[in-house]
Amino acid sequence: MRYHEMKYLVEEIIYKLYNKYSMILYYLNFKYNNKLLNKNVIFQNKHANQRCFIIGNGPSLNLINLDLINKEYTFAVNYFSISNYVSNIKPTYYCIIDPTFHENQKMANDLFKIMSKTPKSIFFLHHKTKSVVEDIKNSEVPTFQIYYLYNKLMLTDYKYNPINISKNMPASENVIVYCLMLALYMGFKE
């Protein structure tokens, strides 16, 4: 067996073991996770064969006329709400997955500011952010449409784990990948 074949085999075993461990953690808290994620089923094929646009936060936004898509289904991410475009584009969906939003008060305040600038968006947040959101709700602020994502599976093991946002789903280091997974789950084709 060649080195790269052996390396691939070892990685494959590690990914499978990690995903088994991840599923054990998921099922250890199944009642809570199921209640939290079961609401996400309403998005399955909700936009079958329609098109959407995923808007990142990079400097290339300055080169694009986003007004052309203000009537389209759109996904925004992270700090899009502080861009100049937020006045023209009200994202249909807003994905904030960075777990740091639940780790300190400053980030929790940022989360509230982001959500307040786009209150009609449907938000997808990291499952650990729920406690922060509960604090926001308890402080008598507007009600937001919020759904949570539980993301602990290895993305590289994707072929064994189809995308299902109502279950434990593949993890990624980039929020745009989550938007792609959401769009696929929702049935967007373009």
Side-chain angles (χ1 to χ4, degrees):
M1 186 176 285
R2 294 184 179 148
Y3 170 77
H4 70 279
E5 291 170 339
M6 179 63 98
K7 181 179 180 283
Y8 176 78
L9 181 64
V10 169
E11 286 176 352
E12 187 86 7
I13 291 168
I14 290 170
Y15 296 146
K16 284 182 180 179
L17 287 173
Y18 176 84
N19 284 345
K20 296 286 184 210
Y21 170 73
S22 174
M23 290 306 292
I24 289 169
L25 292 178
Y26 176 80
Y27 284 114
L28 283 174
N29 208 3
F30 181 74
K31 190 173 182 180
Y32 174 79
N33 289 332
N34 193 45
K35 183 179 177 186
L36 185 68
L37 302 174
N38 215 22
K39 297 185 286 184
N40 296 354
V41 172
I42 65 167
F43 294 103
Q44 189 169 20
N45 293 318
K46 179 178 181 173
H47 298 287
N49 299 314
Q50 295 177 320
R51 77 174 179 179
C52 69
F53 292 84
I54 298 172
I55 306 165
N57 291 327
S60 62
L61 284 181
N62 297 325
L63 307 174
I64 299 170
N65 181 4
L66 291 179
D67 292 337
L68 298 173
I69 62 170
N70 67 357
K71 300 229 186 297
E72 301 280 352
Y73 292 108
T74 54
F75 289 82
V77 299
N78 297 337
Y79 287 99
F80 175 79
S81 68
I82 64 171
S83 74
N84 296 332
Y85 296 108
V86 77
S87 59
N88 297 344
I89 293 185
K90 302 300 180 202
T92 314
Y93 301 103
Y94 209 119
C95 192
I96 307 169
I97 298 298
D98 191 336
T100 59
F101 282 101
H102 72 270
E103 292 174 353
N104 65 59
Q105 191 57 46
K106 183 215 176 295
M107 294 301 281
N109 292 339
D110 284 356
L111 179 62
F112 172 69
K113 288 176 190 173
I114 289 169
M115 294 171 76
S116 295
K117 286 194 174 187
T118 57
K120 293 185 179 179
S121 296
I122 296 172
F123 293 91
F124 287 95
L125 306 176
H126 189 280
H127 71 280
K128 289 186 178 178
T129 313
K130 185 168 177 29
S131 61
V132 172
V133 170
E134 292 303 317
D135 288 344
I136 291 172
K137 284 182 180 177
N138 291 337
S139 64
E140 297 182 29
V141 296
T143 304
F144 302 105
Q145 273 191 284
I146 300 169
Y147 297 85
Y148 295 95
L149 300 176
Y150 189 98
N151 49 334
K152 295 287 187 189
L153 293 173
M154 296 293 286
L155 186 62
T156 51
D157 196 23
Y158 169 75
K159 64 186 175 189
Y160 302 108
N161 302 297
I163 297 166
N164 185 344
I165 67 171
S166 66
K167 305 283 183 218
N168 190 1
M169 59 186 278
S172 172
E173 294 295 320
N174 189 311
V175 69
I176 298 296
V177 174
Y178 288 109
C179 290
L180 288 168
M181 288 190 276
L182 287 166
L184 289 169
Y185 185 80
M186 292 179 184
F188 285 109
K189 293 295 180 202
E190 186 179 342

